[in-house]
PDB file of all heavy atoms in Angstrom:
ATOM      1  N   GLU A  18     -37.225 -45.026  14.882  1.00 93.00           N
ATOM      2  CA  GLU A  18     -36.785 -43.673  15.210  1.00 93.00           C
ATOM      3  C   GLU A  18     -37.571 -43.112  16.397  1.00 93.00           C
ATOM      4  O   GLU A  18     -38.793 -43.150  16.441  1.00 93.00           O
ATOM      5  CB  GLU A  18     -36.950 -42.763  13.987  1.00 93.00           C
ATOM      6  CG  GLU A  18     -36.297 -41.411  14.138  1.00 93.00           C
ATOM      7  CD  GLU A  18     -36.265 -40.640  12.829  1.00 93.00           C
ATOM      8  OE1 GLU A  18     -37.160 -40.837  11.987  1.00 93.00           O
ATOM      9  OE2 GLU A  18     -35.337 -39.835  12.640  1.00 93.00           O
ATOM     10  N   ASP A  19     -36.851 -42.573  17.363  1.00 93.00           N
ATOM     11  CA  ASP A  19     -37.442 -41.925  18.518  1.00 93.00           C
ATOM     12  C   ASP A  19     -38.201 -40.669  18.073  1.00 93.00           C
ATOM     13  O   ASP A  19     -37.754 -39.962  17.163  1.00 93.00           O
ATOM     14  CB  ASP A  19     -36.312 -41.544  19.491  1.00 93.00           C
ATOM     15  CG  ASP A  19     -36.808 -40.706  20.644  1.00 93.00           C
ATOM     16  OD1 ASP A  19     -37.306 -41.291  21.621  1.00 93.00           O
ATOM     17  OD2 ASP A  19     -36.702 -39.458  20.570  1.00 93.00           O
ATOM     18  N   PRO A  20     -39.365 -40.383  18.702  1.00 95.00           N
ATOM     19  CA  PRO A  20     -40.151 -39.226  18.265  1.00 95.00           C
ATOM     20  C   PRO A  20     -39.390 -37.888  18.281  1.00 95.00           C
ATOM     21  O   PRO A  20     -39.564 -37.079  17.362  1.00 95.00           O
ATOM     22  CB  PRO A  20     -41.325 -39.200  19.257  1.00 95.00           C
ATOM     23  CG  PRO A  20     -41.475 -40.621  19.670  1.00 95.00           C
ATOM     24  CD  PRO A  20     -40.089 -41.178  19.711  1.00 95.00           C
ATOM     25  N   ILE A  21     -38.570 -37.646  19.300  1.00 96.00           N
ATOM     26  CA  ILE A  21     -37.824 -36.381  19.332  1.00 96.00           C
ATOM     27  C   ILE A  21     -36.788 -36.347  18.218  1.00 96.00           C
ATOM     28  O   ILE A  21     -36.621 -35.342  17.522  1.00 96.00           O
ATOM     29  CB  ILE A  21     -37.183 -36.150  20.722  1.00 96.00           C
ATOM     30  CG1 ILE A  21     -38.289 -35.865  21.750  1.00 96.00           C
ATOM     31  CG2 ILE A  21     -36.174 -34.998  20.676  1.00 96.00           C
ATOM     32  CD1 ILE A  21     -37.793 -35.642  23.164  1.00 96.00           C
ATOM     33  N   ALA A  22     -36.114 -37.475  18.014  1.00 96.00           N
ATOM     34  CA  ALA A  22     -35.135 -37.546  16.911  1.00 96.00           C
ATOM     35  C   ALA A  22     -35.830 -37.352  15.576  1.00 96.00           C
ATOM     36  O   ALA A  22     -35.291 -36.687  14.665  1.00 96.00           O
ATOM     37  CB  ALA A  22     -34.420 -38.890  16.941  1.00 96.00           C
ATOM     38  N   TYR A  23     -37.032 -37.881  15.458  1.00 96.00           N
ATOM     39  CA  TYR A  23     -37.805 -37.785  14.209  1.00 96.00           C
ATOM     40  C   TYR A  23     -38.143 -36.323  13.881  1.00 96.00           C
ATOM     41  O   TYR A  23     -37.864 -35.843  12.773  1.00 96.00           O
ATOM     42  CB  TYR A  23     -39.080 -38.624  14.360  1.00 96.00           C
ATOM     43  CG  TYR A  23     -40.135 -38.406  13.322  1.00 96.00           C
ATOM     44  CD1 TYR A  23     -39.914 -38.724  11.981  1.00 96.00           C
ATOM     45  CD2 TYR A  23     -41.393 -37.903  13.682  1.00 96.00           C
ATOM     46  CE1 TYR A  23     -40.911 -38.529  11.025  1.00 96.00           C
ATOM     47  CE2 TYR A  23     -42.396 -37.721  12.728  1.00 96.00           C
ATOM     48  CZ  TYR A  23     -42.142 -38.018  11.403  1.00 96.00           C
ATOM     49  OH  TYR A  23     -43.124 -37.834  10.473  1.00 96.00           O
ATOM     50  N   VAL A  24     -38.735 -35.591  14.829  1.00 97.00           N
ATOM     51  CA  VAL A  24     -39.158 -34.223  14.526  1.00 97.00           C
ATOM     52  C   VAL A  24     -37.961 -33.278  14.374  1.00 97.00           C
ATOM     53  O   VAL A  24     -38.014 -32.350  13.556  1.00 97.00           O
ATOM     54  CB  VAL A  24     -40.165 -33.665  15.546  1.00 97.00           C
ATOM     55  CG1 VAL A  24     -41.479 -34.410  15.446  1.00 97.00           C
ATOM     56  CG2 VAL A  24     -39.629 -33.692  16.962  1.00 97.00           C
ATOM     57  N   THR A  25     -36.905 -33.498  15.130  1.00 98.00           N
ATOM     58  CA  THR A  25     -35.738 -32.607  14.973  1.00 98.00           C
ATOM     59  C   THR A  25     -35.024 -32.879  13.646  1.00 98.00           C
ATOM     60  O   THR A  25     -34.543 -31.959  12.982  1.00 98.00           O
ATOM     61  CB  THR A  25     -34.758 -32.737  16.157  1.00 98.00           C
ATOM     62  OG1 THR A  25     -34.415 -34.108  16.359  1.00 98.00           O
ATOM     63  CG2 THR A  25     -35.358 -32.172  17.422  1.00 98.00           C
ATOM     64  N   ARG A  26     -34.997 -34.146  13.229  1.00 98.00           N
ATOM     65  CA  ARG A  26     -34.412 -34.470  11.929  1.00 98.00           C
ATOM     66  C   ARG A  26     -35.201 -33.821  10.799  1.00 98.00           C
ATOM     67  O   ARG A  26     -34.623 -33.208   9.886  1.00 98.00           O
ATOM     68  CB  ARG A  26     -34.365 -35.996  11.726  1.00 98.00           C
ATOM     69  CG  ARG A  26     -33.890 -36.396  10.316  1.00 98.00           C
ATOM     70  CD  ARG A  26     -33.829 -37.904  10.143  1.00 98.00           C
ATOM     71  NE  ARG A  26     -35.120 -38.570  10.256  1.00 98.00           N
ATOM     72  CZ  ARG A  26     -36.024 -38.643   9.266  1.00 98.00           C
ATOM     73  NH1 ARG A  26     -35.783 -38.069   8.094  1.00 98.00           N
ATOM     74  NH2 ARG A  26     -37.155 -39.299   9.446  1.00 98.00           N
ATOM     75  N   LEU A  27     -36.541 -33.941  10.848  1.00 97.00           N
ATOM     76  CA  LEU A  27     -37.356 -33.345   9.802  1.00 97.00           C
ATOM     77  C   LEU A  27     -37.239 -31.827   9.772  1.00 97.00           C
ATOM     78  O   LEU A  27     -37.170 -31.226   8.706  1.00 97.00           O
ATOM     79  CB  LEU A  27     -38.818 -33.746   9.957  1.00 97.00           C
ATOM     80  CG  LEU A  27     -39.193 -35.163   9.562  1.00 97.00           C
ATOM     81  CD1 LEU A  27     -40.708 -35.338   9.587  1.00 97.00           C
ATOM     82  CD2 LEU A  27     -38.656 -35.538   8.191  1.00 97.00           C
ATOM     83  N   ALA A  28     -37.232 -31.201  10.957  1.00 98.00           N
ATOM     84  CA  ALA A  28     -37.081 -29.740  11.008  1.00 98.00           C
ATOM     85  C   ALA A  28     -35.779 -29.311  10.349  1.00 98.00           C
ATOM     86  O   ALA A  28     -35.732 -28.364   9.549  1.00 98.00           O
ATOM     87  CB  ALA A  28     -37.138 -29.262  12.446  1.00 98.00           C
ATOM     88  N   ARG A  29     -34.691 -30.022  10.683  1.00 98.00           N
ATOM     89  CA  ARG A  29     -33.382 -29.703  10.101  1.00 98.00           C
ATOM     90  C   ARG A  29     -33.369 -29.944   8.594  1.00 98.00           C
ATOM     91  O   ARG A  29     -32.888 -29.105   7.814  1.00 98.00           O
ATOM     92  CB  ARG A  29     -32.285 -30.545  10.768  1.00 98.00           C
ATOM     93  CG  ARG A  29     -30.871 -30.148  10.352  1.00 98.00           C
ATOM     94  CD  ARG A  29     -29.834 -31.150  10.823  1.00 98.00           C
ATOM     95  NE  ARG A  29     -29.917 -32.368  10.033  1.00 98.00           N
ATOM     96  CZ  ARG A  29     -30.297 -33.557  10.491  1.00 98.00           C
ATOM     97  NH1 ARG A  29     -30.647 -33.707  11.747  1.00 98.00           N
ATOM     98  NH2 ARG A  29     -30.328 -34.600   9.693  1.00 98.00           N
ATOM     99  N   GLU A  30     -33.919 -31.082   8.163  1.00 98.00           N
ATOM    100  CA  GLU A  30     -33.922 -31.398   6.734  1.00 98.00           C
ATOM    101  C   GLU A  30     -34.745 -30.392   5.935  1.00 98.00           C
ATOM    102  O   GLU A  30     -34.370 -30.012   4.813  1.00 98.00           O
ATOM    103  CB  GLU A  30     -34.442 -32.824   6.510  1.00 98.00           C
ATOM    104  CG  GLU A  30     -33.453 -33.886   6.962  1.00 98.00           C
ATOM    105  CD  GLU A  30     -33.973 -35.301   6.722  1.00 98.00           C
ATOM    106  OE1 GLU A  30     -35.117 -35.469   6.237  1.00 98.00           O
ATOM    107  OE2 GLU A  30     -33.228 -36.263   7.025  1.00 98.00           O
ATOM    108  N   LYS A  31     -35.872 -29.949   6.470  1.00 97.00           N
ATOM    109  CA  LYS A  31     -36.685 -28.936   5.794  1.00 97.00           C
ATOM    110  C   LYS A  31     -35.902 -27.636   5.635  1.00 97.00           C
ATOM    111  O   LYS A  31     -35.867 -27.050   4.550  1.00 97.00           O
ATOM    112  CB  LYS A  31     -37.969 -28.677   6.577  1.00 97.00           C
ATOM    113  CG  LYS A  31     -38.986 -29.793   6.546  1.00 97.00           C
ATOM    114  CD  LYS A  31     -40.183 -29.457   7.437  1.00 97.00           C
ATOM    115  CE  LYS A  31     -41.212 -30.565   7.472  1.00 97.00           C
ATOM    116  NZ  LYS A  31     -42.359 -30.238   8.334  1.00 97.00           N
ATOM    117  N   ALA A  32     -35.310 -27.187   6.730  1.00 97.00           N
ATOM    118  CA  ALA A  32     -34.567 -25.914   6.695  1.00 97.00           C
ATOM    119  C   ALA A  32     -33.370 -26.007   5.764  1.00 97.00           C
ATOM    120  O   ALA A  32     -33.100 -25.084   4.979  1.00 97.00           O
ATOM    121  CB  ALA A  32     -34.148 -25.512   8.099  1.00 97.00           C
ATOM    122  N   GLU A  33     -32.644 -27.121   5.831  1.00 97.00           N
ATOM    123  CA  GLU A  33     -31.456 -27.277   4.981  1.00 97.00           C
ATOM    124  C   GLU A  33     -31.825 -27.376   3.510  1.00 97.00           C
ATOM    125  O   GLU A  33     -31.135 -26.819   2.646  1.00 97.00           O
ATOM    126  CB  GLU A  33     -30.659 -28.507   5.425  1.00 97.00           C
ATOM    127  CG  GLU A  33     -29.953 -28.322   6.751  1.00 97.00           C
ATOM    128  CD  GLU A  33     -29.238 -29.571   7.241  1.00 97.00           C
ATOM    129  OE1 GLU A  33     -29.590 -30.685   6.788  1.00 97.00           O
ATOM    130  OE2 GLU A  33     -28.333 -29.432   8.072  1.00 97.00           O
ATOM    131  N   ALA A  34     -32.926 -28.065   3.205  1.00 96.00           N
ATOM    132  CA  ALA A  34     -33.350 -28.207   1.811  1.00 96.00           C
ATOM    133  C   ALA A  34     -33.679 -26.844   1.189  1.00 96.00           C
ATOM    134  O   ALA A  34     -33.261 -26.536   0.072  1.00 96.00           O
ATOM    135  CB  ALA A  34     -34.561 -29.137   1.725  1.00 96.00           C
ATOM    136  N   VAL A  35     -34.416 -26.024   1.920  1.00 96.00           N
ATOM    137  CA  VAL A  35     -34.785 -24.717   1.398  1.00 96.00           C
ATOM    138  C   VAL A  35     -33.569 -23.784   1.365  1.00 96.00           C
ATOM    139  O   VAL A  35     -33.412 -22.974   0.443  1.00 96.00           O
ATOM    140  CB  VAL A  35     -35.959 -24.101   2.191  1.00 96.00           C
ATOM    141  CG1 VAL A  35     -36.277 -22.692   1.694  1.00 96.00           C
ATOM    142  CG2 VAL A  35     -37.189 -24.996   2.085  1.00 96.00           C
ATOM    143  N   PHE A  36     -32.687 -23.892   2.362  1.00 95.00           N
ATOM    144  CA  PHE A  36     -31.472 -23.079   2.356  1.00 95.00           C
ATOM    145  C   PHE A  36     -30.658 -23.378   1.091  1.00 95.00           C
ATOM    146  O   PHE A  36     -30.202 -22.449   0.401  1.00 95.00           O
ATOM    147  CB  PHE A  36     -30.627 -23.363   3.603  1.00 95.00           C
ATOM    148  CG  PHE A  36     -29.437 -22.455   3.749  1.00 95.00           C
ATOM    149  CD1 PHE A  36     -29.566 -21.239   4.403  1.00 95.00           C
ATOM    150  CD2 PHE A  36     -28.213 -22.788   3.210  1.00 95.00           C
ATOM    151  CE1 PHE A  36     -28.478 -20.372   4.524  1.00 95.00           C
ATOM    152  CE2 PHE A  36     -27.123 -21.946   3.331  1.00 95.00           C
ATOM    153  CZ  PHE A  36     -27.257 -20.734   3.997  1.00 95.00           C
ATOM    154  N   ARG A  37     -30.490 -24.669   0.776  1.00 94.00           N
ATOM    155  CA  ARG A  37     -29.737 -25.037  -0.438  1.00 94.00           C
ATOM    156  C   ARG A  37     -30.425 -24.486  -1.687  1.00 94.00           C
ATOM    157  O   ARG A  37     -29.775 -23.970  -2.594  1.00 94.00           O
ATOM    158  CB  ARG A  37     -29.624 -26.562  -0.555  1.00 94.00           C
ATOM    159  CG  ARG A  37     -28.601 -27.168   0.382  1.00 94.00           C
ATOM    160  CD  ARG A  37     -28.299 -28.618   0.032  1.00 94.00           C
ATOM    161  NE  ARG A  37     -29.494 -29.459   0.061  1.00 94.00           N
ATOM    162  CZ  ARG A  37     -29.916 -30.107   1.151  1.00 94.00           C
ATOM    163  NH1 ARG A  37     -29.262 -29.989   2.285  1.00 94.00           N
ATOM    164  NH2 ARG A  37     -31.014 -30.856   1.099  1.00 94.00           N
ATOM    165  N   GLU A  38     -31.760 -24.578  -1.709  1.00 93.00           N
ATOM    166  CA  GLU A  38     -32.525 -24.093  -2.865  1.00 93.00           C
ATOM    167  C   GLU A  38     -32.340 -22.589  -3.065  1.00 93.00           C
ATOM    168  O   GLU A  38     -32.121 -22.116  -4.180  1.00 93.00           O
ATOM    169  CB  GLU A  38     -33.993 -24.434  -2.647  1.00 93.00           C
ATOM    170  CG  GLU A  38     -34.836 -24.404  -3.891  1.00 93.00           C
ATOM    171  CD  GLU A  38     -36.259 -24.862  -3.616  1.00 93.00           C
ATOM    172  OE1 GLU A  38     -36.461 -25.759  -2.762  1.00 93.00           O
ATOM    173  OE2 GLU A  38     -37.162 -24.285  -4.238  1.00 93.00           O
ATOM    174  N   LEU A  39     -32.420 -21.853  -1.971  1.00 93.00           N
ATOM    175  CA  LEU A  39     -32.360 -20.389  -2.080  1.00 93.00           C
ATOM    176  C   LEU A  39     -30.951 -19.857  -2.308  1.00 93.00           C
ATOM    177  O   LEU A  39     -30.778 -18.770  -2.840  1.00 93.00           O
ATOM    178  CB  LEU A  39     -32.945 -19.742  -0.813  1.00 93.00           C
ATOM    179  CG  LEU A  39     -34.445 -19.946  -0.588  1.00 93.00           C
ATOM    180  CD1 LEU A  39     -34.899 -19.212   0.662  1.00 93.00           C
ATOM    181  CD2 LEU A  39     -35.251 -19.491  -1.800  1.00 93.00           C
ATOM    182  N   THR A  40     -29.964 -20.647  -1.909  1.00 91.00           N
ATOM    183  CA  THR A  40     -28.592 -20.173  -2.088  1.00 91.00           C
ATOM    184  C   THR A  40     -27.957 -20.737  -3.371  1.00 91.00           C
ATOM    185  O   THR A  40     -26.803 -20.461  -3.667  1.00 91.00           O
ATOM    186  CB  THR A  40     -27.692 -20.550  -0.880  1.00 91.00           C
ATOM    187  OG1 THR A  40     -27.794 -21.961  -0.647  1.00 91.00           O
ATOM    188  CG2 THR A  40     -28.128 -19.781   0.353  1.00 91.00           C
ATOM    189  N   ALA A  41     -28.725 -21.526  -4.123  1.00 86.00           N
ATOM    190  CA  ALA A  41     -28.227 -22.043  -5.393  1.00 86.00           C
ATOM    191  C   ALA A  41     -27.948 -20.882  -6.341  1.00 86.00           C
ATOM    192  O   ALA A  41     -28.579 -19.835  -6.278  1.00 86.00           O
ATOM    193  CB  ALA A  41     -29.248 -22.997  -6.020  1.00 86.00           C
ATOM    194  N   ALA A  42     -27.012 -21.097  -7.218  1.00 54.00           N
ATOM    195  CA  ALA A  42     -26.634 -20.048  -8.171  1.00 54.00           C
ATOM    196  C   ALA A  42     -27.857 -19.576  -8.958  1.00 54.00           C
ATOM    197  O   ALA A  42     -28.647 -20.389  -9.450  1.00 54.00           O
ATOM    198  CB  ALA A  42     -25.580 -20.577  -9.140  1.00 54.00           C
ATOM    199  N   GLY A  43     -28.019 -18.288  -9.020  1.00 50.00           N
ATOM    200  CA  GLY A  43     -29.079 -17.700  -9.822  1.00 50.00           C
ATOM    201  C   GLY A  43     -30.416 -17.574  -9.129  1.00 50.00           C
ATOM    202  O   GLY A  43     -31.383 -17.195  -9.763  1.00 50.00           O
ATOM    203  N   SER A  44     -30.479 -17.903  -7.827  1.00 57.00           N
ATOM    204  CA  SER A  44     -31.760 -17.775  -7.132  1.00 57.00           C
ATOM    205  C   SER A  44     -32.188 -16.310  -7.096  1.00 57.00           C
ATOM    206  O   SER A  44     -31.440 -15.432  -6.692  1.00 57.00           O
ATOM    207  CB  SER A  44     -31.646 -18.296  -5.686  1.00 57.00           C
ATOM    208  OG  SER A  44     -32.817 -17.985  -4.978  1.00 57.00           O
ATOM    209  N   GLN A  45     -33.406 -16.052  -7.534  1.00 54.00           N
ATOM    210  CA  GLN A  45     -33.929 -14.679  -7.572  1.00 54.00           C
ATOM    211  C   GLN A  45     -34.491 -14.241  -6.215  1.00 54.00           C
ATOM    212  O   GLN A  45     -34.657 -13.060  -5.960  1.00 54.00           O
ATOM    213  CB  GLN A  45     -35.034 -14.562  -8.627  1.00 54.00           C
ATOM    214  CG  GLN A  45     -34.525 -14.801 -10.043  1.00 54.00           C
ATOM    215  CD  GLN A  45     -33.403 -13.861 -10.438  1.00 54.00           C
ATOM    216  OE1 GLN A  45     -33.562 -12.640 -10.351  1.00 54.00           O
ATOM    217  NE2 GLN A  45     -32.272 -14.394 -10.846  1.00 54.00           N
TER     218      GLN A  45
END
């Protein structure tokens, strides 16, 4: 994996993971 592809993938995956967590049904 190219370094730029690596850090942009991780940044996106981090943001998407937390977005899914916070928008899950019943999130306080």
Side-chain angles (χ1 to χ4, degrees):
E18 190 169 29
D19 173 83
I21 291 179
Y23 167 65
V24 292
T25 52
R26 174 179 63 81
L27 285 188
R29 187 191 73 246
E30 288 180 358
K31 289 176 182 180
E33 288 176 339
V35 177
F36 187 88
R37 284 192 302 270
E38 198 175 325
L39 294 182
T40 54
S44 171
Q45 296 303 305

